[in-house]
Amino acid sequence: MASVNDIGIDLGTSQILIYMKGKGIILREPTVVAIDSDSHSILAFGDEARRMVGRTPSNILAIRPLRDGTIADYELVSSMLRGFVLKAVGKHLFARPRAILALPTAVNEMEKRTLISTMFDAGMRRTQMLNRSLAAALGAGLPMDEAYGAMIVDISAGVTDIAVISFGKVIVSDCIKAGGDRFDDAIIRHLRRKHNLLVGERTAEELKVNIGSAIPRAEQLYMDVTGRNLITGLPKTMRITSDDITEAMDEPLQQLIEGIHGVLEHTPAELAADIFEYGILLSGGGAELFGLCEAIADTLKVPCSCADEPQTNVVMGCGRALENLHDLGQYLDDGRRRLLGR
């Protein structure tokens, strides 16, 4: 019997979103953990841990245990996931909820089994996996049972998942390390090389979000940022232009476009024709980069659009599957088989 506390989880590289059946999204927090390096104990996770970044003693580390779409420390990830689930739904001794979990594509089978076991320990009676690209397609409202090809590009912080879907199946797919973090890293390197200015990850992300663009803007934007002058070693405030950020992000942008091109090259001709007619759909937080659709469309000569509320597409896809298990349960991968090693 279904529980009113059944949940869908998008465990991403930079943030976790949890959807509760009948209530919608109930939790959205960064996947950051603060640990004491001396005792190896977890001090905080989520928003509380993120506030500690750059403001803690040397023995307290605020880290992201998922990087580039993979699990860097699955013990930390397991503890963090258990904490988020308990925070969202509490402890249920009798009516144990069901969970649908969407993970970064690069997570391996052993890590998936570990996380399913973690979910059981957190009070879930059953955890099923949902392919991330299918979850994004469901959340974006793509028709799943029609005989034409649809391409969805889910741009998360760590990686970008590119998939061609037809009849509810992933026909061709690829996972490339050209996510939002790569754009941030490119901005940091560019400012260091061009302006001798060292900034942190959060400042780079703010530049990307506020004035970043995949194509030159018609009207130049500016943002004043403070970093460390690499020549004097002193703090320095500098005005950065949107053209600066566009130039900085060119390399990861070309890597992203080449990844999409590569999947199109391996797509069967009939499905490729559908994509050239109906276009590419962008999902994930990275899809909101200004001018990204235009840059992809201009280079590949394929229509391109951004999904509504792209940051929530994956968790909303998990939610749709929860709300309509009778029709959408066919897309789920049963986690119990992984626990048995089958």
Side-chain angles (χ1 to χ4, degrees), residues 56-201:
T56 60
S58 59
N59 66 306
I60 298 177
L61 304 176
I63 61 175
R64 282 167 48 183
L66 291 101
R67 298 292 298 185
D68 294 334
T70 61
I71 295 177
D73 187 324
Y74 66 77
E75 289 185 4
L76 274 183
V77 170
S78 294
S79 298
M80 179 182 68
L81 179 59
R82 184 185 301 111
F84 280 128
V85 170
L86 292 175
K87 182 176 181 178
V89 303
K91 293 184 178 180
H92 296 272
L93 299 178
F94 302 106
R96 293 167 69 91
R98 172 202 295 266
I100 294 176
L101 181 61
L103 296 171
T105 304
V107 174
N108 63 41
E109 289 298 315
M110 183 189 75
E111 291 166 341
K112 288 178 182 178
R113 287 197 293 270
T114 300
L115 294 180
I116 290 170
S117 179
T118 296
M119 294 290 288
F120 183 80
D121 293 341
M124 301 297 108
R125 80 174 188 278
R126 184 180 184 186
T127 299
Q128 293 172 284
M129 297 289 182
L130 179 56
N131 177 281
R132 191 170 187 85
S133 294
L134 291 179
L138 282 170
L142 286 180
M144 299 295 287
D145 56 355
E146 296 185 10
Y148 73 84
M151 173 177 274
I152 186 153
V153 179
D154 182 62
I155 309 168
S156 60
V159 294
T160 294
D161 289 298
I162 308 164
V164 175
I165 299 170
S166 181
F167 264 127
K169 301 288 185 183
V170 175
I171 309 301
V172 187
S173 66
D174 194 11
C175 178
I176 61 172
K177 292 183 178 180
D181 288 346
R182 291 298 173 99
F183 287 94
D184 297 343
D185 292 343
I187 292 170
I188 292 171
R189 291 196 307 271
H190 179 81
L191 296 182
R192 185 172 58 215
R193 182 177 62 250
K194 185 174 181 180
H195 300 295
N196 291 312
L197 186 71
L198 181 63
V199 299
E201 292 179 1

Side-chain angles (χ1 to χ4, degrees), residues 24-342:
I25 298 172
I26 60 169
L27 183 143
R28 185 199 305 237
E29 294 199 28
T31 49
V32 180
V33 181
I35 61 172
D36 187 328
S37 59
D38 295 334
S39 64
H40 301 288
S41 58
I42 295 178
L43 304 176
F45 57 87
D47 287 326
E48 186 180 352
R50 187 175 186 182
R51 285 193 290 269
M52 295 182 179
V53 174
R55 300 180 174 91
T56 60
S58 59
N59 66 306
I60 298 177
L61 304 176
I63 61 175
R64 282 167 48 183
L66 291 101
R67 298 292 298 185
D68 294 334
T70 61
I71 295 177
D73 187 324
Y74 66 77
E75 289 185 4
L76 274 183
V77 170
S78 294
S79 298
M80 179 182 68
L81 179 59
R82 184 185 301 111
F84 280 128
V85 170
L86 292 175
K87 182 176 181 178
V89 303
K91 293 184 178 180
H92 296 272
L93 299 178
F94 302 106
R96 293 167 69 91
R98 172 202 295 266
I100 294 176
L101 181 61
L103 296 171
T105 304
V107 174
N108 63 41
E109 289 298 315
M110 183 189 75
E111 291 166 341
K112 288 178 182 178
R113 287 197 293 270
T114 300
L115 294 180
I116 290 170
S117 179
T118 296
M119 294 290 288
F120 183 80
D121 293 341
M124 301 297 108
R125 80 174 188 278
R126 184 180 184 186
T127 299
Q128 293 172 284
M129 297 289 182
L130 179 56
N131 177 281
R132 191 170 187 85
S133 294
L134 291 179
L138 282 170
L142 286 180
M144 299 295 287
D145 56 355
E146 296 185 10
Y148 73 84
M151 173 177 274
I152 186 153
V153 179
D154 182 62
I155 309 168
S156 60
V159 294
T160 294
D161 289 298
I162 308 164
V164 175
I165 299 170
S166 181
F167 264 127
K169 301 288 185 183
V170 175
I171 309 301
V172 187
S173 66
D174 194 11
C175 178
I176 61 172
K177 292 183 178 180
D181 288 346
R182 291 298 173 99
F183 287 94
D184 297 343
D185 292 343
I187 292 170
I188 292 171
R189 291 196 307 271
H190 179 81
L191 296 182
R192 185 172 58 215
R193 182 177 62 250
K194 185 174 181 180
H195 300 295
N196 291 312
L197 186 71
L198 181 63
V199 299
E201 292 179 1
R202 293 186 67 174
T203 300
E205 185 178 10
E206 288 172 3
L207 283 165
K208 178 183 68 178
V209 171
N210 293 327
I211 66 171
S213 175
I215 58 175
R217 290 178 180 264
E219 183 178 348
Q220 186 89 273
L221 297 181
Y222 304 90
M223 182 173 166
D224 292 329
V225 299
T226 300
R228 187 170 79 240
N229 188 312
L230 291 173
I231 297 175
T232 66
L234 299 175
K236 179 181 180 180
T237 299
M238 178 174 289
R239 174 160 289 189
I240 304 299
T241 68
S242 53
D243 281 351
D244 247 341
I245 305 304
T246 300
E247 180 185 350
M249 296 191 298
D250 183 65
E251 182 180 341
L253 173 64
Q254 295 309 316
Q255 185 182 355
L256 172 63
I257 293 174
E258 287 169 11
I260 298 172
H261 185 212
V263 171
L264 282 171
E265 282 186 322
H266 291 89
T267 300
E270 291 80 2
L271 297 181
D274 292 337
I275 295 167
F276 275 85
E277 180 179 354
Y278 296 109
I280 298 167
L281 184 66
L282 303 186
S283 173
E288 295 181 309
L289 177 64
F290 183 87
L292 182 57
C293 286
E294 290 85 346
I296 293 172
D298 288 347
T299 304
L300 299 179
K301 310 304 178 187
V302 182
C304 185
S305 61
C306 181
D308 295 333
E309 299 184 18
Q311 288 194 18
T312 64
N313 285 160
V314 172
V315 76
M316 291 303 295
C318 295
R320 280 192 64 191
L322 270 179
E323 303 282 2
N324 194 7
L325 280 171
H326 182 268
D327 294 328
L328 303 178
Q330 59 182 309
Y331 303 121
L332 303 178
D333 182 7
D334 198 337
R336 286 182 292 193
R337 294 181 181 179
R338 285 196 167 89
L339 286 178
L340 296 172
R342 296 176 184 172

